[in-house]
Amino acid sequence: MSVPVLELRGVEAAYGDAQVLWGVDWRVQPGEVVAVVGPNGAGKSTTLRVVAGLLRPLRGEVWFDGTRIDGLPADAVVERGVALVPEGRRLFAHMTVLENLLLGGYATRARPLRRRTLEEVFHLFPVLGERSGQLAGTLSGGQQQMLAIARALMSRPRLLLLDEPSLGLAPVVVQQVYGVVARIAREGVTVVAVEQNVYPALQHAARGYLMAHGRVVAEGPAETLLRTALVQRSYVGG
């Protein structure tokens, strides 16, 4: 088996004195779309923060592409090829679509290829090309989510982390977003999508992890895990 793009080994993390992750283990292979599902407070977003270098683990290890990265600052993690699309998108609302995208390509590894990458993201998201001069805050919710993903792609990542990409979106827009995620994966970018919205996440993933109370409580093929999630409504809700 190939070296995992991402591997977490016994990761534990806390905010101050409150521990929120307990022995989290993930393995993500190159080119996979992996869904991480569970209720609010399960530790999903915290785990992404650890991977992205925004929170140092108390214990455990994070490996990216065969190199240990836990303890690296967030900018160094981006330079290695990891990009996070945070919950709520965190766009610069009073800047244009184009300005947001160019900021996404600021990393040293991505800067020489910004023009080429910009063409690629406009091909992937034609509406962003059409609205490149429009203020980001005036886009629809679905367009803002597409811009957030496109901005992350400007850093030319090998691993894309999506935190609640369907939050606040209509079902038809959620399907559009996950359709784009599938295209991104086909082009060679590995994707981890964290979701409370269990159904679209697992329907568009090959494998998944179910988290609750800061721990992985189930894992496996997405279809199998979807049936597990349906049984464990106390974790994922109706």
Side-chain angles (χ1 to χ4, degrees):
M1 185 177 290
S2 60
V3 174
V5 169
L6 176 66
E7 185 173 11
L8 276 62
R9 304 175 183 173
V11 168
E12 303 191 357
Y15 296 108
D17 294 331
Q19 186 165 344
V20 293
L21 295 182
W22 307 81
V24 173
D25 294 320
W26 291 358
R27 285 175 64 92
V28 181
Q29 297 296 333
E32 281 193 307
V33 177
V34 173
V36 182
V37 298
N40 188 36
K44 308 181 303 298
S45 295
T46 297
T47 309
L48 291 190
R49 288 176 57 83
V50 170
V51 175
L54 298 170
L55 179 67
R56 288 199 174 193
L58 294 173
R59 285 171 287 279
E61 302 175 359
V62 179
W63 291 75
F64 172 67
D65 210 18
T67 301
R68 188 172 174 181
I69 63 170
D70 54 278
L72 291 179
D75 60 333
V77 174
V78 172
E79 290 288 356
R80 295 292 180 103
V82 179
L84 171 65
V85 179
E87 181 180 347
R89 301 155 198 147
R90 307 286 179 88
L91 298 172
F92 296 99
H94 298 293
M95 298 176 67
T96 67
V97 167
L98 180 59
E99 289 168 338
N100 272 271
L101 291 172
L102 292 177
L103 284 174
Y106 189 75
T108 302
R109 66 191 298 274
R111 213 174 304 163
L113 299 171
R114 277 196 297 185
R115 184 184 298 270
R116 172 181 166 186
T117 310
L118 196 60
E119 293 175 354
E120 292 172 354
V121 298
F122 283 159
H123 179 72
L124 191 61
F125 302 100
V127 68
L128 299 183
E130 296 166 4
R131 300 176 181 245
S132 62
Q134 186 171 330
L135 295 181
T138 65
L139 298 175
S140 69
Q143 291 165 354
Q144 288 188 23
Q145 186 61 65
M146 292 175 185
L147 176 55
I149 294 172
R151 184 178 62 180
L153 292 175
M154 287 294 297
S155 69
R156 302 195 71 84
R158 294 196 61 237
L159 173 64
L160 182 64
L161 308 174
L162 303 176
D163 194 356
E164 303 288 355
S166 72
L167 186 65
L169 302 182
V172 65
V173 180
V174 172
Q175 293 299 321
Q176 292 172 357
V177 168
Y178 272 101
V180 170
V181 168
R183 288 180 60 188
I184 292 169
R186 287 196 297 269
E187 292 176 7
V189 179
T190 305
V191 180
V192 175
V194 154
E195 282 276 16
Q196 290 184 61
N197 192 356
V198 58
Y199 301 104
L202 289 174
Q203 286 167 352
H204 292 87
R207 292 191 307 109
Y209 292 91
L210 176 64
M211 291 187 67
H213 310 298
R215 295 175 169 85
V216 174
V217 296
E219 62 179 281
E223 291 184 4
T224 302
L225 193 59
L226 184 58
R227 292 195 294 270
T228 302
L230 289 170
V231 172
Q232 300 189 29
R233 290 177 181 271
S234 59
Y235 291 127
V236 302

